[in-house]
Amino acid sequence: DEQPEPRIEPLYRGEPGASSLVYDTEVTGLKPTTDIVVNGTAYAPGGRARPSFDLAIQVGPVRKTIRVRGDRWWRRGPLGVSPSSAAPIERVPVVYERAYGGFDQSDPDPARQRLATRNPVGRGVARSASPLVDQPVYNFEYPTGDPEKAGPAGFGALASYWSPRREHMGTYDEAWQSSRKPLLPLDWDPRTRLCTPTDQQPERPLAGGEQATLLNWTPTGLLQFTLPRVEVQFETQHATHRESHEGQLATVVIEPDDARLTMVWSSALPCRTDIDLLERTIVSEASSSR
């Protein structure tokens, strides 16, 4: 009933640069497809604490499952450093601070430090096994595969300087400064605007009307609903004419703990030589949501 203002800058859980994103900026150019973000808490099935359980989403063609594990600690044993047994857990916030990753700065020499570019705020990454002893182990991982290869398991937004977004930003070198600045580099890729893991990005943008199913994101276990189908239209008034353009569903944010669904549309209009003649853009809903 009360719509928040568009987000003009990212919102972090804590200190920017040292914590994970809650929301990315919504003021950006067109995205290649729709970002599907889920913020919330993992709940053990039936409300009974257990050492592990699965957490899953399906939104239209996107399906994803990760494994939730109870709290563990790195222990030194006869065969080296390894995780302890998982304690039964009833609920845990789904944040990248509890996923595989991290930034080991225990050595003052930057060359000896180790940074997980896919998740600098996570757990488990270190330059050697010793700094991990007695530290907490990540709570989330993919059901199969080595976490170091599979990467951080989560459903939230990724900061713009995390991989793989950072690799799509292009090259800002001397050649760019001398021949392109302030334009984007020639190797810039619009995928850098996408703020979710690649397995949360459908091949084509969503349109609304897709079925959504979330498993173990609520105390009741199963949450199902249909994304509203809304047709958003834009009409921009120039000094001499009007131009209509369509919107694209850019971001879907699902927050089960707050019973909130946010859908963000964006549009882009080439201004050509009329940039100083633009007067206003009117946004309208062509059909009611259901």
Side-chain angles (χ1 to χ4, degrees):
D1 292 336
E2 187 173 332
Q3 177 172 291
E5 292 294 320
R7 301 185 183 279
I8 62 174
E9 61 183 5
L11 175 64
Y12 289 84
R13 286 186 167 81
E15 180 183 352
S19 62
S20 61
L21 272 183
V22 182
Y23 309 108
D24 197 14
T25 177
E26 295 170 354
V27 181
T28 182
L30 287 180
K31 298 179 179 182
T33 187
T34 304
D35 272 319
I36 300 173
V37 179
V38 187
N39 293 326
T41 304
Y43 294 87
R48 296 186 297 273
R50 58 189 68 196
S52 68
F53 59 92
D54 285 349
L55 184 69
I57 67 168
Q58 179 178 354
V59 182
V62 172
R63 297 186 179 188
K64 180 175 179 177
T65 300
I66 68 173
R67 185 71 41 79
V68 180
R69 296 194 182 277
D71 291 337
R72 298 174 293 171
W73 303 86
W74 293 101
R75 303 302 189 197
R76 188 182 298 278
L79 300 179
V81 176
S82 60
S84 66
S85 299
I89 195 167
E90 182 179 346
R91 64 178 65 183
V92 58
V94 186
V95 294
Y96 287 111
E97 282 81 352
R98 290 176 172 267
Y100 177 80
F103 185 13
D104 182 0
Q105 305 178 71
S106 57
D107 193 300
D109 182 1
R112 296 178 178 272
Q113 296 174 1
R114 187 179 177 195
L115 172 69
T117 61
R118 293 175 294 183
N119 178 19
V121 302
R123 301 173 174 178
V125 168
R127 59 186 177 86
S128 65
S130 295
L132 293 176
V133 176
D134 295 333
Q135 296 298 309
V137 181
Y138 39 86
N139 291 101
F140 308 112
E141 58 190 58
Y142 285 97
T144 59
D146 179 5
E148 185 171 358
K149 295 181 179 179
F155 293 89
L158 309 176
S160 60
Y161 64 94
W162 292 16
S163 297
R165 296 184 69 182
R166 57 183 284 173
E167 284 78 17
H168 298 315
M169 287 187 175
T171 306
Y172 299 83
D173 54 10
E174 292 183 2
W176 170 79
Q177 292 188 27
S178 62
S179 63
R180 292 285 297 176
K181 185 180 180 179
L183 302 177
L184 291 169
L186 293 174
D187 58 348
W188 177 85
D189 191 318
R191 286 179 292 175
T192 192
R193 293 172 174 159
L194 293 166
C195 68
T196 52
T198 55
D199 53 10
Q200 289 169 231
Q201 301 168 7
E203 184 177 348
R204 297 180 179 82
L206 302 182
E210 294 86 1
Q211 295 295 312
T213 301
L214 281 73
L215 178 65
N216 294 330
W217 286 89
T218 62
T220 57
L222 188 64
L223 175 63
Q224 293 180 304
F225 60 93
T226 302
L227 294 184
R229 185 184 297 276
V230 182
E231 184 179 347
V232 181
Q233 296 182 339
F234 299 76
E235 187 175 71
T236 297
Q237 176 68 55
H238 299 252
T240 58
H241 67 282
R242 291 184 179 182
E243 190 166 355
S244 297
H245 43 115
E246 296 182 349
Q248 174 184 302
L249 184 52
T251 310
V252 172
V253 182
I254 305 171
E255 297 173 290
D257 287 341
D258 300 312
R260 181 169 57 220
L261 169 68
T262 303
M263 300 171 71
V264 181
W265 283 262
S266 61
S267 183
L269 180 67
C271 297
R272 295 176 286 275
T273 59
D274 295 340
I275 189 167
D276 295 325
L277 304 177
L278 299 179
E279 296 182 356
R280 64 182 178 273
T281 295
I282 298 174
V283 184
S284 60
E285 182 181 335
S287 59
S288 299
S289 62
R290 61 178 187 271

